[in-house]
Amino acid sequence: MAHDREAPASVDRRQGSLTMRDIARLANVSSKSVSLVVNGLPGVGDETRARIEALIAEHGYVPQARAQGLATGRAFLVGHVYNNPNPEYLITMQQGLLDGLEGTGYALVTFPLDRAHPQFSERLREFVSRHRLDGVVFSSSVAEDERLDPLLADLRVPYVRVASTAVDVPERSVVGVDRDGAVLAGEHLVELGHVRIGMVSGPMSFLSARERRNGFEQALTAAGSPLDDTLVVEGDYTFEAGLQAGQALLDLDDRPTAVFAANDEMAAGVLQAAQRAGLEVPRELTVVGFDDFSIASHVQPRLTTVRIPTRAMGHLAILTLLETQTGATDRGQARDTPSPELVVRETSAPAVSPEGPR
């Protein structure tokens, strides 16, 4: 449409010297259209997109965030706010965020925010204001905190919340697959013939922990073998918690023949507890983890686990955030969160009786 385009004008065509406005003039489109193409967002026709991409390649155009920031007062920064005790979750999530920011001119600044801090709201407000953030991604477990709702309405900053269930409107949410992944773990253990099954859950203050327990219970109940509450020990997603929980479960007179731990760190702790108890994994004890982080393939025996698309979710969060900024909301099927995947390694075996030497 004519009103959506900027009038052609002379531009400086030296390699690397063009601005977004220059590219828009050469392509006879709006700067918004160029921004959508640069950020890999929908809303631009194939022919127009090809023309813009060709001009970008020809002139070596690179978004100049610093220059744009000086001109507009914007910092071209995206914040990542989190509260998660698992370092590999944070690294993997941030890799996905950086994947999404590549080529956009935005930089990422991270902020750990303890939900138990007495100045939770004040610290978040100060972080957003100090950095003049253009957007914020909230991930586990800050994303699910109810105090965000009034605070975000007041801050008026674009944001996306990554959580295990929908905690906001669709255009501001990336919903995880924790429940579906835990269903896979439960179905796997049932198929192996295990009946007396233990679980090391995450902290119940975390939505992810509740979703993983609910999914696991769902699978066992559907198989006619409901989860026994006396075989559930709560942990805090750390190796030490998994070790302590594993020892408690394996010290039982009628110990479980299989244990599902709600993340790989705790599953590794259960493996250590089994070794201390003199149990052979998987012949005497099957262990299944969750996440498929690097520890799952580094421990011995290598851990059967559920692969969760954490990096893809980070990438999706940035794409969703950029859509929120530009007003484009047609995410489409390709933007759905990928499904979880059961990865069977060396800690799975058919059930055997726990009777005999311990």
Side-chain angles (χ1 to χ4, degrees):
M1 297 177 63
H3 66 271
D4 188 46
R5 298 183 177 178
E6 300 174 2
S10 60
V11 298
D12 183 351
R13 298 182 180 231
R14 290 174 296 175
Q15 184 77 6
S17 65
L18 271 66
T19 66
M20 182 178 293
R21 184 178 293 272
D22 293 331
I23 295 293
R25 287 172 176 166
L26 289 172
N28 195 26
V29 299
S30 68
S31 292
K32 179 179 178 180
S33 294
V34 177
S35 176
L36 291 173
V37 172
V38 167
N39 292 321
L41 299 175
V44 179
D46 292 342
E47 182 179 343
T48 301
R49 184 179 296 275
R51 185 164 73 253
I52 294 171
E53 288 175 344
L55 287 166
I56 288 173
E58 177 184 352
H59 296 284
Y61 168 70
V62 176
Q64 297 295 321
R66 182 176 178 83
Q68 292 173 358
L70 291 173
T72 64
R74 294 170 57 190
F76 285 85
L77 292 175
V78 170
H80 175 213
V81 181
Y82 59 89
N83 174 34
N84 190 301
N86 190 312
E88 190 160 359
Y89 168 85
L90 299 177
I91 292 171
T92 306
M93 173 61 67
Q94 287 171 10
Q95 285 175 329
L97 298 175
L98 292 171
D99 289 342
L101 290 175
E102 185 175 0
T104 66
Y106 289 97
L108 182 69
V109 56
T110 64
F111 183 54
L113 182 57
D114 186 352
R115 292 174 64 188
H117 197 286
Q119 295 182 311
F120 174 91
S121 298
E122 292 80 1
R123 294 188 71 210
L124 177 57
R125 186 186 300 275
E126 195 272 337
F127 170 68
V128 173
S129 301
R130 181 176 75 250
H131 292 286
R132 295 180 294 135
L133 297 178
D134 292 286
V136 185
V137 174
F138 296 92
S139 67
S140 179
S141 69
V142 174
E144 63 204 49
D145 199 292
E146 294 179 354
R147 290 169 292 181
L148 285 185
D149 295 328
L151 187 58
L152 291 171
D154 186 43
L155 288 173
R156 298 181 180 276
V157 61
Y159 68 88
V160 170
R161 296 163 77 170
V162 183
S164 299
T165 62
V167 293
D168 212 310
V169 295
E171 58 268 26
R172 292 174 177 169
S173 298
V174 173
V175 180
V177 290
D178 297 72
R179 181 185 291 252
D180 293 343
V183 167
L184 293 179
E187 291 175 342
H188 175 62
L189 294 177
V190 169
E191 289 171 1
L192 290 173
H194 293 281
V195 175
R196 190 159 177 80
I197 301 172
M199 180 180 185
V200 183
S201 77
M204 287 296 107
S205 60
F206 279 32
L207 184 58
S208 63
R210 299 196 296 271
E211 283 296 291
R212 293 173 195 184
R213 172 162 178 167
N214 290 341
F216 191 61
E217 283 188 296
Q218 175 184 328
L220 299 191
T221 300
S225 181
L227 182 64
D228 185 344
D229 286 338
T230 66
L231 297 181
V232 179
V233 181
E234 183 176 333
D236 63 2
Y237 285 149
T238 63
F239 174 89
E240 291 75 14
L243 174 59
Q244 293 175 8
Q247 289 173 333
L249 290 170
L250 299 180
D251 281 344
L252 294 173
D253 291 334
D254 188 13
R255 65 170 177 80
T257 63
V259 174
F260 168 54
N263 79 342
D264 293 336
E265 288 281 340
M266 293 195 299
V270 173
L271 290 178
Q272 179 68 40
Q275 183 181 43
R276 291 185 180 183
L279 296 176
E280 183 180 343
V281 177
R283 188 178 66 84
E284 296 177 282
L285 180 72
T286 287
V287 180
V288 175
F290 196 94
D291 284 325
D292 195 30
F293 290 152
S294 61
I295 192 173
S297 55
H298 291 167
V299 293
Q300 291 296 324
R302 296 183 305 150
L303 183 66
T304 292
T305 188
V306 177
R307 179 176 296 157
I308 296 297
T310 304
R311 183 167 180 170
M313 290 170 62
H315 191 177
L316 178 56
I318 290 296
L319 296 180
T320 305
L321 181 65
L322 294 175
E323 287 173 348
T324 300
Q325 290 176 326
T326 61
T329 57
D330 182 19
R331 289 169 56 181
Q333 184 67 28
R335 300 286 176 84
D336 289 343
T337 305
S339 299
E341 177 186 353
L342 178 70
V343 182
V344 180
R345 296 194 177 100
E346 298 165 356
T347 59
S348 292
V352 296
S353 171
E355 300 297 331
R358 297 282 299 278

